[in-house]
Amino acid sequence: MTFLRLRWNPFVLAIAALLSLVACAPAQPDLVRVGRAELQLPAGTWQPLGGNAEQFDVRPDDTAHDLPMQTRAVALRGRAKEPLAVLVVQTNASNHPRDTTLWTAACLPQKGVQVEDAARGSPVRIDCLRYKRSAGTDGYLASARPALAQWLTQQQAVPANPYSHVSYRYSTPEGGYVSVDVLADRRLLRPTVRNNEEFLRAGRPAQEWMEQLAQAARQSITMLDGRFVVPPFPQALPE
């Protein structure tokens, strides 16, 4: 499964100086390995969906410079084994030192999608957060992410409508990279609304959760073990 392709020159973690000061967190056998990263998932029944390894084509055009990446996907299942959420993470396959990276993947605006470009179009880094509240309508996912939509359909892992899509991509000038896609049953992100006041506040939990997810992704780049602590959804799992 190929969800994303970029052209870039790779990566150096700016944390070597910490090696004498910080030890890696203890290994946990239940963590999901994704290349250099370890996913620490929220409570719930998570099912591995598989993943892949691929080479990012980088400049100069020499296969010796291509950057190995890995992708893993997991699904949160409900009591009836129905998919409530799917998490797809892609990151560097290793911590091997790399040269300074120039990024060419723009964080473009998209109609009907909340897009935040914290990097402001920088050519040396990416910080792109996207949120589609109603991702199961108007063929959005098939149009915006056709490979991802097709693969999740084959896996029977698309949450029932209505569901939302959160996408976050982050990179460093030294070549560190992580991307996260979350398809989530909207009941996990938005509270039940009973009046106008609650309706006006209903979107706040999702916004706060997205900020926490983005922060966790950024922190994983700087962690020696790549620990990526996925924050719990703001709402309880539906019965």
Side-chain angles (χ1 to χ4, degrees):
M1 55 176 180
T2 301
F3 306 139
L4 174 67
R5 289 202 178 276
L6 302 174
R7 296 185 62 84
W8 55 312
N9 284 332
F11 137 79
V12 139
L13 289 176
I15 55 174
L18 298 179
L19 287 173
S20 61
L21 302 176
V22 181
C24 292
Q28 295 185 22
D30 57 336
L31 298 182
V32 177
R33 292 291 313 184
V34 187
R36 65 169 300 275
E38 296 178 337
L39 300 183
Q40 185 171 321
L41 301 171
T45 302
W46 291 89
Q47 172 197 5
L49 295 179
N52 76 339
E54 64 178 292
Q55 298 288 111
F56 272 20
D57 188 15
V58 302
R59 293 188 298 249
D61 289 328
D62 179 347
T63 56
H65 292 84
D66 287 352
L67 184 70
M69 304 289 289
Q70 287 192 358
T71 305
R72 290 290 181 272
V74 291
L76 176 63
R77 299 284 182 178
R79 291 189 175 183
K81 306 303 180 183
E82 75 280 14
L84 297 175
V86 175
L87 173 73
V88 182
V89 176
Q90 184 178 61
T91 190
N92 304 83
S94 72
N95 287 338
H96 293 166
R98 297 284 177 168
D99 298 327
T100 301
T101 300
L102 293 179
W103 301 90
T104 60
C107 184
L108 299 175
Q110 187 176 358
K111 184 178 180 181
V113 179
Q114 175 185 325
V115 181
E116 300 177 10
D117 182 7
R120 295 176 175 83
S122 169
V124 297
R125 69 185 190 93
I126 301 171
D127 195 337
C128 184
L129 179 64
R130 295 176 179 271
Y131 173 50
K132 177 69 172 178
R133 190 179 74 172
S134 299
T137 60
D138 302 325
Y140 159 77
L141 194 63
S143 175
R145 302 292 297 278
L148 176 59
Q150 181 181 13
W151 185 80
L152 290 176
T153 299
Q154 293 171 349
Q155 297 292 317
Q156 298 182 337
V158 180
N161 241 343
Y163 65 86
S164 300
H165 178 216
V166 177
S167 172
Y168 182 65
R169 292 180 298 148
Y170 178 76
S171 76
T172 69
E174 297 78 23
Y177 177 78
V178 61
S179 75
V180 189
D181 282 283
V182 180
L183 273 67
D185 186 314
R186 231 164 55 193
R187 292 173 296 177
L188 296 174
L189 298 176
R190 292 175 64 87
T192 301
V193 173
R194 292 177 292 268
N195 53 55
N196 288 339
E197 184 176 351
E198 290 180 349
F199 175 79
L200 294 175
R201 298 197 306 263
R204 187 176 303 171
Q207 296 294 328
E208 294 175 348
W209 182 82
M210 288 190 296
E211 292 174 1
Q212 294 169 3
L213 180 72
Q215 182 180 17
R218 292 192 298 269
Q219 289 178 342
S220 73
I221 292 292
T222 66
M223 298 295 288
L224 298 178
D225 59 0
R227 183 68 57 87
F228 186 167
V229 183
V230 181
F233 291 104
Q235 305 301 317
L237 299 181
E239 296 292 335

